[in-house]
Amino acid sequence: MPHFALPRTVRLTRTHKASAALVATAGCAAALAFTAVPGNATTTAAADAPAAVKPVGANGLPLTAKDRADNGKQARAVASSVAGGLKVVPAEKQDRAAEQPANRSIERKALVAPKTAPKAPKAPKAPKAPKATPKRYANNLDGWIRESLDIMKAKGIPGSYEGLHRNIMRESAGDPNAVNDWDINAINGVPSKGLLQVIQPTFDTYHVSGTPHKLTDPIANITAAANYAADRYGSIDNVNSAY
């Protein structure tokens, strides 16, 4: 039969009792902490704590105290430069500056003249009537009679081409310078002259304005004789002999 040896009784001192009490207290605290942690937590506080990152310079090496001082100076210089470049404008001046463009816009609109309605196209001018060219007459018996008839018509003196031509041929045969130096008028010193043999006193009395004041002028002689015949006989057409 096996032999079991019973352990020897150990006497606990006061020191041993104090140590056991401390261990028991620590065990209780650990148990409480374990129960407070969630069951799915797998990391420790040490693992969760962020690792400290040391600043490095442009060369990749950790910054020294001198590098930090130089960086501080550079940052202050940059901040001073930026602050110097920024111009702080008071709010009142900002309002006035905003009003100036608006005022200029209003002034420009005021200066722009309103567009006027397009003018209606002018009506085309009526073509001017061509100036009447003066009528030309032949410098012969036919031309003299025709020109005299136009003047007589304008002055209201009756007569026809046939009546004038017939009496002219009888009195002078168509010679504007013909002179009668044998009849009673010639004897009295006032001979008959011209195409229709008119004496000077009769010519002066019945001269037609607009014609030359010359007894032997063909037009002046014919119109004066026709004017005299119209006054005495009603028309030169009614004269068939010496008149």
Side-chain angles (χ1 to χ4, degrees):
M1 180 172 183
H3 178 73
F4 295 96
L6 294 173
R8 188 175 54 181
T9 304
V10 180
R11 186 177 179 180
L12 299 175
T13 66
R14 182 177 295 176
T15 301
H16 292 157
K17 292 178 181 180
S19 299
L22 289 173
V23 171
T25 302
C28 292
L32 291 173
F34 182 78
T35 57
V37 176
N40 58 353
T42 59
T43 60
T44 64
D48 292 338
V53 180
K54 294 182 178 181
V56 296
N59 54 7
L61 298 176
L63 292 176
T64 63
K66 183 181 179 181
D67 293 336
R68 293 191 185 94
D70 293 340
N71 290 344
K73 290 180 181 180
Q74 292 178 0
R76 285 194 296 273
V78 172
S80 176
S81 176
V82 172
L86 294 176
K87 185 177 180 181
V88 179
V89 181
E92 183 180 353
K93 291 185 178 181
Q94 292 180 4
D95 293 340
R96 286 199 296 270
E99 289 175 358
Q100 287 178 357
N103 293 337
R104 293 193 193 100
S105 178
I106 294 172
E107 291 173 359
R108 285 195 294 270
K109 289 181 180 179
L111 291 175
V112 176
K115 292 183 179 179
T116 56
K119 294 182 179 180
K122 293 182 179 180
K125 293 182 179 180
K128 293 182 179 180
K131 293 182 179 180
T133 55
K135 191 174 181 179
R136 295 182 178 276
Y137 303 93
N139 188 25
N140 53 30
L141 181 59
D142 179 74
W144 299 332
I145 293 174
R146 293 184 185 280
E147 185 174 356
S148 297
L149 284 171
D150 288 341
I151 295 172
M152 290 164 57
K153 183 179 180 180
K155 300 294 184 178
I157 300 172
S160 66
Y161 186 97
E162 187 276 331
L164 290 175
H165 186 269
R166 173 168 43 83
N167 283 282
I168 289 171
M169 295 307 292
R170 185 189 67 251
E171 294 291 332
S172 65
D175 182 4
N177 296 313
V179 179
N180 185 333
D181 55 2
W182 54 268
D183 64 1
I184 188 61
N185 293 319
I187 294 171
N188 293 331
V190 286
S192 303
K193 296 179 180 181
L195 291 173
L196 284 170
Q197 293 293 289
V198 182
I199 60 176
Q200 190 66 49
T202 302
F203 178 82
D204 294 339
T205 302
Y206 292 97
H207 172 259
V208 177
S209 61
T211 62
H213 204 284
K214 182 181 179 181
L215 179 58
T216 56
D217 179 85
I219 308 302
N221 188 277
I222 292 173
T223 54
N227 194 22
Y228 164 74
D231 183 49
R232 187 163 184 182
Y233 306 105
S235 173
I236 190 70
D237 294 346
N238 298 328
V239 177
N240 294 303
S241 61
Y243 58 107

